[in-house]
Amino acid sequence: MNLELSQTEENYLKAIFSLSLSRSKSVSTNAIAEKLDTKASSVTDMVKKLSEKKLIDYKKYQGVSLTEEGKKRAVKIIRKHRLWEVFLVKHLDFNWDEVHEVAEQLEHVKSIKLTNELDRFLEFPTHDPHGDPIPDADGNIDHHIDVMLASLHKNETCVVLGVKDSSPSFLKYLDGHEIKLGSEIIVLEKEEFDNSMQIQIADRKISISQQITKNLFVKKLGK
Amino acid sequence: MNLELSQTEENYLKAIFSLSLSRSKSVSTNAIAEKLDTKASSVTDMVKKLSEKKLIDYKKYQGVSLTEEGKKRAVKIIRKHRLWEVFLVKHLDFNWDEVHEVAEQLEHVKSIKLTNELDRFLEFPTHDPHGDPIPDADGNIDHHIDVMLASLHKNETCVVLGVKDSSPSFLKYLDGHEIKLGSEIIVLEKEEFDNSMQIQIADRKISISQQITKNLFVKKLGK
DNA sequence: ACTAATTTTTAGACATATCTAAAAATTAGT
DNA sequence: ACTAATTTTTAGATATGTCTAAAAATTAGT
Ligand SMILES: [Mn+2]
Ligand SMILES: [Mn+2]
Ligand SMILES: [Mn+2]
Ligand SMILES: [Mn+2]
């Protein structure tokens, strides 16, 4: 039994981890297939392999969940992914919509020293460029207080903490409207009809659709 | 025909490149097998594949050599490898004997922007931690002026520019004797019998074997 | 030039990871 | 509870990269 995982195996663990956060409980074969853009039959094969390695619990037709060891491995990969994203934005002049693809590769580099030294070099960042929390060296990870902008009411004020969708197209949309992490938003109007919002951000008033408001993590501001 | 090369294919190109520098002309199947710690039969298979991709010239039983395109690819990988080594030593507190293994992984990350931004971030270094020259973005590369310490005579003085062998064991030996890039060395004696040398380095006098003197690139100092 | 040693290639096998198509199991609808 | 739709698994193929053992070609020695 090989302790070193292939990049593919690591990607499966990460996918299962992130799927169990939302849908909780056990994760279906199809959900994994969709997330990884592969076929259900391929997932079944891999799931058997990871199960033999005791990284996931799997019973035929019952879906899968990560074991403690599997969870540990997944968190380590996520830690690396997010640290590299911080590096790319802070030091290599990448925009937040360009980092994901590169971090997908960097996250598989195996060296504990590399990860921890990178963490130190970056001065132990707590969040990545998309507002996602970075696990510490022991695997502890803060979870999102998932308040979406969509849940706010007229006249409430908030600050943008993160994005749920971090696809380049969404991030470019936000860039285009100068919505960034830390931006303060006031909800001026909320349309009953399509749930779009009229908001004030800095000194601009704009209208954004529910597609947008459902993908922005925010913190409500007292008052 | 896939333009993206696998890590394995990249490693073959790099191996062939470095073998053609020393032995020049065409590189033998066995030499590649030894360099990559694999079997001759595996090399034959891969060599056919790279030949189909027009990255090497290959005729049965005649050995191989890189095409222009193959050379370009090899140099790009070497550029990445060496830039990452600089990063690890300068910013992540790695010793020069720890970087190679990690750079072997990092060199395969695909992103031209990543490479060029890293180069800028490092302020366009010309040499890696082992004294090897770093190709520029256009693939231009200085070649070693390969004067080895072994070729010097009694009373000649030189400065250490690089190491030929960059195995951890050799590098640790050098650390143990405080021999670094930039160290000035005076040849005090040269033994006829075993070619070992008595040298002066800083204010210490030490004796080093031919195994060592044959693996240190130096620049002679006028007088 | 012939034989022996060495190098290189081929043949056939195996492991990983993927796919399509068909079969089996589960779930949903009435 | 039965049937239909959906999900999941199996079976069989393909592609990559590796290996051992045997065959073929080259090179070296006399
Ligand atoms: Mn990402
Ligand atoms: Mn991210
Ligand atoms: Mn190296
Ligand atoms: Mn080096």
Side-chain angles (χ1 to χ4, degrees), chain B residues 81 85 100 130:
Chain B
H81 183 107
E85 288 190 342
H100 189 75
H130 312 106

Side-chain angles (χ1 to χ4, degrees), chain A residues 13-23 27 35 66 74 78:
Chain A
L13 289 184
K14 215 171 42 134
I16 295 166
F17 182 87
S18 98
L19 289 169
S20 11
L21 287 185
S22 32
R23 325 197 175 186
V27 178
K35 181 109 185 171
L66 294 174
I78 289 166

Side-chain angles (χ1 to χ4, degrees), chain B residues 81-82 85 96 99-100 103 128-132 163 166:
Chain B
H81 183 107
R82 295 181 181 166
E85 288 190 342
W96 66 345
V99 297
H100 189 75
D128 82 1
H130 312 106
D132 291 315
V163 294
S166 58

Side-chain angles (χ1 to χ4, degrees), chain A residues 19 23 27-36 38-41 43:
Chain A
L19 289 169
R23 325 197 175 186
V27 178
S28 76
T29 303
N30 265 1
I32 299 168
E34 194 183 347
K35 181 109 185 171
L36 293 176
T38 184
K39 296 291 143 76
S41 55
V43 173

Side-chain angles (χ1 to χ4, degrees), chain A residues 81-82 85 100 128-130 132 166:
Chain A
H81 182 107
R82 295 182 180 166
E85 288 190 343
H100 189 75
D128 83 1
H130 311 106
D132 291 315
S166 58

